[in-house]
Amino acid sequence: MSDLPSRSEKPWLIIIGTGEDGPDGLGEEAKRLITGAPVVYGGARHHALMDGLISGERRVWQSPFERSVEDIVAHRGTPVVVLASGDPFLYGIGATLSRRIGTGEMRVIPAPSAFSLAASRLGWPLQDAAAISLHGRPVELILPHLHDGRRIIALTSDENGPAAIAALLTGIGFGRSRMTVLEALGGERERVRTVTATEFALERIDPLNVCAIEVVADKAARIISFASGLDDALFEHDGQITKREIRAVTLSALAPRHGELLWDIGAGSGSVGIEWMLCDPSLKAIAIEQSPERAARAARNATALGVPHLALVEGAAPAALAGLPEPDAIFIGGGGSEPGVLEAAIAALKPGGRLVANAVTLEMEALLLSEYAKRGGSLTRLDISRAAAVGTMSGWRPAMPVTQWRWIKDQE
C-alpha cells in the first residue's frame, strides 16, 4: 500500500494531456510547464510532438511500465512533467500514477480524449454511446455491448484493430453494422472512413485510430442479454451447467456489488462466474475446476461471452483454494460434498460475504441441511418443469430439484 499525501501538499508532478496537433493544442501555461521541467516523461511519439518545447531531460516509458512509475515516484518533491494522450484519467496514465501518488501532489491539465474527438466528429452524444478501450486488451470485450441500435466507440491498439473488430462482428451476425474508422484525430493526418463490417477492406490505417460502430443485428445475431439467466445454448457444455432458471436465482442470491470478487467452486462450464462478471465491468471471478477439459471449456465460454479475463484455477477444492485472493462471495456448484470444501469456503469468505451452495444430490443436500441448522441463513428448494413431447401431445417434464443454501458471514 502507498502512503498518499494530503491535498495540502504542493504539486510536483504535472500530467499534461496532448493531442495530435502538438503544441498548437496546448494553453500557454501547459507550454511553460513543459519548457521549464527538468525531467519530462512520455512515449517517443509524445516527445516528438513536443520537440520544440522540451528543454529538460527526456525519459521514454520503460518495459515493464512499473519501472517508469518507480522512477517517477523516486523524484517525489522535485518538478516532473508527464506527457499523456488526451485525458490522462480516461483509460490513461493518470489512473496508474494516482495509485502511487496522492492527488495533492499532482496537477493535471487534460486534453480532449479520443472518445470526445470521435463523438464530436460523428455528432454522437457521448453519454449515449458505449466508450470502451480495446488498447492492449482482447477484442472480445466488445461482445456484451453488441445490441441492435447501440453505438460504440472503441479505442484500438493499432492499425490491425478495426479489421479484427470487423471480422468478429461478421462472424456472429453483426456484419451489417456500420464501422467508422477515425484516424489520427486532431492532427494533420486525420482521416475518417465508413464501411460495413462485412465489406471491410480499408488499407493503410493509421496505428492511432478509434473505431465507431453503429450496431445492426441480423436475425441470428448472438446477443448477450442484460438479464441474468442467459440461454443455456450460449454456453458450450457437457451437461455440467447450472441451468438458466437456477442460474438466475443463484445470481440474485449472490447479489453482486461493485468491485467484488467471486469464487466459483466446481465451475463446470463457468456459467455462474461468467454471468457474475457480465453484471458490471468492475466485477472479478475465479473459476475453480478440477477437470482440465471443463476448465478449457469454461475459458472458451468466457471469451465467447465477452469476459475473457475470467481467472481459471485447474484443481480440486479445497487444495486448489489455497493462496487465492479473499473472496467477497462464493458459489459452490459442484464438488461441495467433498471433505473440507464447504469448511474451507466458509473460512476464506470475507466478513459480510455471501455464500451460495446448490445441491442436486442427497449427500450435498444433507450437508446443506446440517449447515443451515448450525449456522442459519436461508434454505430454498427450486423445482423447474419444462414442457416436452409426450407421444403426440405435450406434458411437463420435471428437472432434478435443487436445494439452495444462502448464508452471510458475520461481520467481525
Side-chain angles (χ1 to χ4, degrees):
M1 294 181 63
S2 60
D3 182 16
L4 299 182
S6 68
R7 293 189 60 86
S8 62
E9 297 193 22
K10 184 178 180 180
W12 57 270
L13 175 63
I14 311 298
I15 306 176
I16 298 176
T18 64
E20 285 299 291
D21 50 358
D24 291 343
L26 299 179
E28 292 303 316
E29 184 178 18
K31 294 178 185 178
R32 177 181 59 78
L33 290 168
I34 294 172
T35 300
V39 180
V40 179
Y41 287 82
R45 183 176 64 86
H46 298 125
H47 287 307
L49 285 168
M50 301 298 162
D51 185 58
L53 293 180
I54 300 173
S55 59
E57 179 185 355
R58 305 182 186 207
R59 297 198 180 182
V60 180
W61 300 126
Q62 303 177 61
S63 181
F65 187 74
E66 184 60 28
R67 292 170 59 186
S68 290
V69 175
E70 293 294 341
D71 198 25
I72 291 172
V73 172
H75 282 80
R76 177 170 265 134
T78 61
V80 172
V81 162
V82 168
L83 300 177
S85 295
D87 185 343
F89 278 89
L90 185 60
Y91 298 113
I93 184 63
T96 302
L97 292 175
S98 66
R99 288 193 280 268
R100 298 292 306 277
I101 300 168
T103 54
E105 294 182 275
M106 65 173 67
R107 183 176 175 197
V108 182
I109 303 176
S113 69
F115 301 103
S116 294
L117 291 173
S120 67
R121 300 297 189 271
L122 297 165
W124 291 4
L126 189 54
Q127 71 273 13
D128 294 336
I132 62 175
S133 175
L134 302 179
H135 189 274
R137 301 177 179 185
V139 69
E140 288 83 7
L141 289 172
I142 204 171
L143 293 174
H145 301 281
L146 296 178
H147 287 239
D148 194 50
R150 189 79 191 271
R151 288 175 169 175
I152 301 169
I153 302 176
L155 180 66
T156 75
S157 292
D158 52 34
E159 65 274 18
N160 300 314
I165 293 172
L168 180 66
L169 294 175
T170 301
I172 56 173
F174 294 93
R176 293 186 295 141
S177 299
R178 285 169 50 87
M179 296 177 57
T180 299
V181 180
L182 304 100
E183 306 165 61
L185 286 169
E188 295 180 353
R189 306 187 322 278
E190 179 174 320
R191 180 167 56 176
V192 178
R193 293 181 282 176
T194 300
V195 67
T196 63
T198 54
E199 297 172 345
F200 191 93
L202 301 183
E203 297 179 346
R204 297 186 298 279
I205 297 174
D206 193 285
L208 295 173
N209 67 81
V210 175
C211 191
I213 305 163
E214 296 171 89
V215 180
V216 179
D218 295 335
K219 289 183 179 180
R222 182 185 171 94
I223 298 174
I224 301 171
S225 168
F226 293 134
S228 295
L230 295 177
D231 192 325
D232 294 345
L234 290 174
F235 297 89
E236 180 187 347
H237 64 91
D238 60 358
Q240 281 293 108
I241 182 173
T242 302
K243 298 299 190 294
R244 66 180 302 176
E245 298 89 351
I246 305 300
R247 196 182 326 123
V249 175
T250 297
L251 264 294
S252 176
L254 287 168
R257 301 171 187 174
H258 179 84
E260 290 189 327
L261 170 67
L262 171 75
W263 284 4
D264 183 359
I265 300 176
S269 66
S271 62
V272 171
I274 289 168
E275 290 214 30
W276 165 278
M277 295 177 70
L278 284 171
C279 290
D280 189 81
S282 70
L283 295 170
K284 299 178 182 179
I286 301 174
I288 300 97
E289 175 53 54
Q290 63 178 333
S291 165
E293 183 179 354
R294 286 175 178 161
R297 188 179 292 121
R300 292 194 296 271
N301 282 331
T303 298
L305 287 160
V307 288
H309 44 302
L310 171 72
L312 278 154
V313 173
E314 191 177 307
L321 308 179
L324 297 182
E326 193 177 33
D328 301 280
I330 297 176
F331 171 61
I332 302 178
S337 60
E338 295 298 318
V341 172
L342 195 54
E343 292 83 352
I346 288 172
L349 190 63
K350 286 182 181 179
R354 290 90 60 205
L355 186 147
V356 177
N358 289 354
V360 294
T361 66
L362 294 176
E363 290 77 9
M364 182 62 176
E365 184 178 80
L367 181 59
L368 296 187
L369 290 171
S370 174
E371 292 297 327
Y372 173 68
K374 180 169 57 177
R375 302 177 188 274
S378 62
L379 204 61
T380 306
R381 188 172 177 83
L382 305 169
D383 290 280
I384 302 293
S385 295
R386 298 183 181 87
V390 180
T392 58
M393 296 190 238
S394 299
W396 293 111
R397 192 176 300 280
M400 292 183 68
V402 175
T403 300
Q404 183 177 93
W405 179 52
R406 182 179 190 265
W407 175 74
I408 299 175
K409 192 170 186 177
D410 289 337
Q411 297 278 0
E412 294 178 351

